[in-house]
């Protein structure tokens, strides 16, 4: 899937701004014909979650209606016209001028409607009904009402199976754009390294059944080259070799400018430009290799989360968070727990951050209620994520899920007594689901490793199907509370056990402690800045002694909003090394010193 762009052959306009809005708690909108136009009760900003924009609606996770009007920009008439929603959480149903365009389920991935022939020159009314509800058969799931083995130990309000606030609304831009009638519909760029040469392979898909040629040119770093091929059956494959290529890496995120043209009798019918980073990523034994060299990921789990906008796209926050991560000496992050905005990934390409790109499959459980639908949605989301993000050099790995509740209760009981792993500790439904998901990710993209992030330790049988083991661990926090050294002793034993069972690279995908800024204690105690600093630095040092631990992602870059629960004071998770307004806690300085070298320079 290509992001819309304006160039000599295409145009794009952003419909974001102030839209008309109406909450629909009684679910009367459909019956009263709001899809053809409604009397607004509020004005709302798009993009942004609705929850924090009004005085009384924070916890409202139901139906709401958005409406905007627009005229077609000058010169667009007669072209193919599409509307793209970059993300609407959770379920969107869309109408244009009273006509239903369709719907999309899943809050973090884009969807497009072809509105050619339906859009008028002036006075178009675009209406979106957003359904934010939580349900067991949604991804991520909710409303589990504390079912054992499927939810957090205490039910939070709103009732999610995951630990962040279920913000909803139109949270990323809405774009309208043109495509030529004979259009490049998709590009897949794969890079290889051959000695000192970089090999750039471009696969093009196009919508046209006429004789066309595809041409690519690649420019940058003193290189300029290209090639041309005939389009056959709506596809073409082109290869450009770059002698003495500058490779993409966190130290030097070199990008080349790729320009792709579709040509009819020598004249340009469509064109598209894309930055390309030449790099390879692979797993060999228990090492992760970037450009053939072992690499270690230093960084964070994060959230798209900020006051007032909720999960809404906030470009300045993207800049700020990269500045903070860079200041810390980080080179990587995970898009916990859903694919982040495309703008976030564009920046990762440019700034040289390695990204583990994660689907919205957080907090899955494997009881029957809705299992089939959840499985289908998980697969849909893997497809949509890979389709959207496959051309980013920064994306080095796909994460198919975070913290599913996979182990049987019996297996957990034996494990947490003395790390005994019983036969077949995972629920068979979970094993089947994850095998299918990992296979799908590899089929769609054989060039990137696949990971699963789990808290089940050695009980996670699905580690069998992935290339990299992702482990979330809070020994010394949720267990061995107050006893960091005891917790780390267990962790040391556990990762050796996991590594024996699954001799693959392992990433500490989450570790951290809730920390109230300004709360100090000597000796360190839980919730103090000193406790967090000691916990993180000791776990980082443990990771450094294990060659197979190829990543350390602290949980979390910043404090973030959650539902209300006894373990979430004031409705926040305080595991950030920065506060929600991006101020450092003591741990930020200590970890920085470790990651950047002892003097912190
Ligand atoms: C986890 C989850 C993450 C939570 C974190 C915590 O393992 O993956 O979403 O926020 O624990 O702080 O409990």
């Amino acid at each position: 899937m290509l992001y819309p762009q304006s160039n000599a052959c295409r145009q794009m306009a952003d419909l974001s701004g102030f839209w008309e809005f109406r909450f629909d708690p009684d679910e009367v909108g459909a019956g009263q014909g709001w899809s053809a136009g409604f009397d607004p009760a509020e004005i709302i900003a798009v993009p942004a979650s609705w929850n924090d924009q009004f005085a009384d609606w924070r916890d409202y996770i139901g139906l709401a209606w958005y409406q905007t009007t627009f005229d077609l920009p000058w010169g667009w008439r007669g072209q193919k016209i599409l509307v793209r929603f970059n993300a609407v959480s959770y379920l969107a149903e869309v109408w244009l001028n009273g006509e239903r365009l369709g719907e999309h389920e899943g809050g973090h991935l884009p969807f497009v409607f072809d509105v050619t022939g339906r859009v008028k020159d002036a006075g178009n009314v675009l209406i979106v009904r957003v359904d934010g509800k939580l349900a067991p058969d949604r991804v991520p799931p909710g409303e589990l009402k504390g079912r054992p083995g499927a939810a957090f130990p205490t039910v939070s309000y709103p009732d999610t199976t995951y630990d962040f606030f279920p913000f909803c609304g139109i949270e990323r831009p809405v774009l309208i754009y043109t495509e030529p009638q004979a259009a490049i519909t998709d590009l897949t760029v794969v890079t290889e390294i051959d000695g000192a040469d970089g090999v750039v392979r471009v696969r093009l898909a196009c919508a046209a059944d006429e004789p066309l040629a595809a041409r690519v040119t690649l420019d940058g770093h003193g290189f300029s080259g290209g090639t041309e091929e005939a389009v056959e059956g709506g596809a073409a494959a082109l290869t450009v070799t770059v002698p003495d290529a500058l490779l993409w890496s966190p130290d030097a995120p070199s990008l080349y400018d790729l320009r792709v043209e579709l040509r009819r009798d020598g004249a340009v019918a469509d064109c598209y430009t894309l930055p390309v980073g030449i790099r390879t990523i692979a797993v060999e034994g228990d090492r992760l290799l970037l450009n053939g060299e072992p690499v270690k990921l230093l960084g964070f789990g994060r959230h798209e989360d900020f006051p007032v906008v909720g999960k809404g796209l906030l470009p300045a926050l993207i800049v700020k968070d990269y500045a903070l991560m860079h200041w810390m000496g980080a080179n990587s992050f995970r898009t916990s727990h859903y694919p982040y905005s495309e703008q976030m990934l564009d920046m990762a390409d440019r700034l040289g951050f390695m990204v583990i790109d994660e689907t919205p499959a957080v907090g899955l459980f494997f009881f029957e209620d809705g299992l089939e639908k959840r499985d289908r949605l998980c697969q849909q989301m893997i497809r949509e994520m890979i389709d959207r993000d496959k051309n980013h050099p920064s994306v080095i790995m796909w994460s198919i899920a975070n913290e599913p509740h996979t182990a049987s209760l019996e297996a957990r009981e034996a494990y947490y007594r003395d790390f005994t792993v019983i036969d077949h500790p995972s629920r068979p439904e979970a094993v089947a689901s994850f095998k299918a998901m990992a296979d799908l990710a590899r089929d769609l993209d054989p060039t990137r490793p696949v990971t699963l992030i789990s808290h089940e330790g050695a009980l996670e049988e699905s580690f069998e199907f992935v290339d990299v083991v992702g482990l979330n661990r809070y020994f010394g926090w949720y267990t061995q509370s107050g006893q960091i050294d005891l917790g780390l002793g267990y962790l040391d034993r556990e990762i050796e056990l996991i590594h024996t069972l699954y001799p693959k690279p392992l990433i500490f995908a989450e570790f951290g402690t809730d920390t109230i800024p300004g709360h100090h204690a000597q000796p360190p105690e839980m919730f103090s800045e000193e406790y967090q600093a000691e916990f993180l630095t000791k776990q980082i040092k443990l990771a450094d002694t294990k060659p197979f631990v190829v990543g350390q992602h602290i949980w979390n870059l910043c404090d973030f909003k959650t539902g209300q629960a006894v373990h979430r004071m004031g409705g926040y998770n305080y595991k950030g090394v920065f506060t929600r307004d991006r101020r450092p806690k003591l741990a930020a300085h200590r970890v920085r010193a470790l990651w950047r070298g002892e003097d912190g320079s």
Side-chain angles (χ1 to χ4, degrees), residues 580-591:
R580 200 178 186 215
D581 65 350
R582 274 57 184 166
R583 293 168 195 273
K585 301 178 190 171
L586 176 64
H589 297 281
R590 292 283 166 77
V591 171

Side-chain angles (χ1 to χ4, degrees), residues 416-429:
Y416 288 108
R417 223 178 301 121
D418 58 1
F419 290 131
T420 301
V421 182
I422 63 168
D423 280 347
H424 303 301
S426 295
R427 295 180 62 90
E429 299 86 345

Side-chain angles (χ1 to χ4, degrees), residues 229-245:
E229 297 285 344
V231 175
E232 274 167 35
L238 304 103
T239 302
V240 180
T241 300
V242 184
D244 294 321

Side-chain angles (χ1 to χ4, degrees), residues 168-189:
C168 26
I170 302 181
E171 294 176 330
R172 293 184 193 150
V174 181
L175 307 172
I176 184 162
Y177 63 103
T178 67
E179 266 182 7
Q181 293 302 340
I184 302 164
T185 50
D186 195 25
L187 293 170
T188 307
V189 180

Side-chain angles (χ1 to χ4, degrees), residues 152 162-164 303 334 336-337 358 362 402-403 453-455 472-474 477-478 510 512-514 555-556 560 562 567-568 573-575:
F152 261 54
Y162 48 91
D163 183 33
F164 52 92
H303 267 296
R334 172 167 60 116
S336 43
H337 297 308
E358 183 159 285
V362 48
N402 178 73
E403 284 209 355
I453 313 294
S454 177
H455 64 162
N472 290 349
R473 271 299 175 236
Y474 295 88
W477 181 252
Y478 290 121
E510 285 182 23
T513 67
D514 286 271
W555 192 255
N556 189 282
F560 60 90
T562 65
H567 58 284
R568 290 291 169 257
N573 182 309
Y574 280 105
K575 294 196 184 70

